[in-house]
Amino acid sequence: MAKTVYVLNGPNLNLLGTREPEKYGRATLADVEKICRAAGKQHGLDIVFRQSNVEGEIVNWIQEAHAKKAAGIVLNPAGYTTTSIAILDALLTVKAPVIEIHITNIHAREKFRQNSYVSKAAKAVICGFGVNGYALAIAGIAGMIGSKIGTKAKR
Ligand code: CA2
């Protein structure tokens, strides 16, 4: 049976593609889901793809991913990146690799976007590749867990 990667998206990402295309591009969240499913297929991984504007719902999904023994979590915490100790605490219980992703290069933006709590629990961080960063994150997990065409890496 294929292993599952949870791709979780934080607040306002449901509006992706509707404003600030110069920063975030024109892809919608539905396009991002397609990118993730294609990357999952390529690496023999099932994808659970979700978005919420509610912090506790994201915490619940992280707990669900852990309980269901997901192979990894790709998380764009969006506005919760720099505020949510609840999300950090949930991630700290997860044994599988957590990849933090941002569409934009948060380090080239305002200072307040740069101090990520999520990074403290993340195995890796991807930012600045636009929405293709999601495919890179899934490929990264495939490599870490030695899935299908991924190369097994030491943890
Ligand atoms: O670059 C990223 O992926 C961010 O996580 C996006 C967040 C921002 O708060 C982070 O600092 C960086 C913003 C999410 C909302 O994004 C929208 C983009 C376009 C249209 C509507 C919402």
Side-chain angles (χ1 to χ4, degrees), residues 34-106:
K34 279 186 200 144
I35 288 169
C36 290
R37 294 203 184 283
K41 198 168 176 191
Q42 202 182 337
H43 296 286
L45 295 166
D46 286 340
I47 301 294
V48 169
F49 188 93
R50 296 185 187 153
Q51 185 276 331
S52 179
N53 296 328
V54 180
E55 185 177 14
E57 194 160 31
I58 297 168
V59 169
N60 285 341
W61 291 341
I62 292 165
Q63 291 184 6
E64 177 185 311
H66 180 60
K68 294 198 170 168
K69 301 193 185 333
I73 298 177
V74 175
L75 172 62
N76 185 342
Y80 289 136
T81 306
T82 56
T83 64
S84 182
I85 291 170
I87 289 176
L88 169 62
D89 285 342
L91 292 172
L92 286 173
T93 68
V94 174
K95 302 261 179 335
V98 173
I99 313 298
E100 175 182 354
I101 180 186
H102 300 281
I103 296 165
T104 59
N105 178 2
I106 53 172

Side-chain angles (χ1 to χ4, degrees), residues 86-152:
I87 289 176
L88 169 62
D89 285 342
L91 292 172
L92 286 173
T93 68
V94 174
K95 302 261 179 335
V98 173
I99 313 298
E100 175 182 354
I101 180 186
H102 300 281
I103 296 165
T104 59
N105 178 2
I106 53 172
H107 301 291
R109 299 184 64 187
E110 303 95 324
K111 262 263 164 288
F112 68 82
R113 296 187 191 279
Q114 295 167 25
N115 189 21
S116 168
Y117 283 115
V118 169
S119 292
K120 298 181 189 310
K123 186 89 178 162
V125 181
I126 291 176
C127 72
F129 283 100
V131 295
N132 288 327
Y134 283 80
L136 298 176
I138 290 164
I141 288 176
M144 285 172 188
I145 66 170
S147 174
K148 211 177 172 183
I149 62 167
T151 311
K152 194 169 177 110

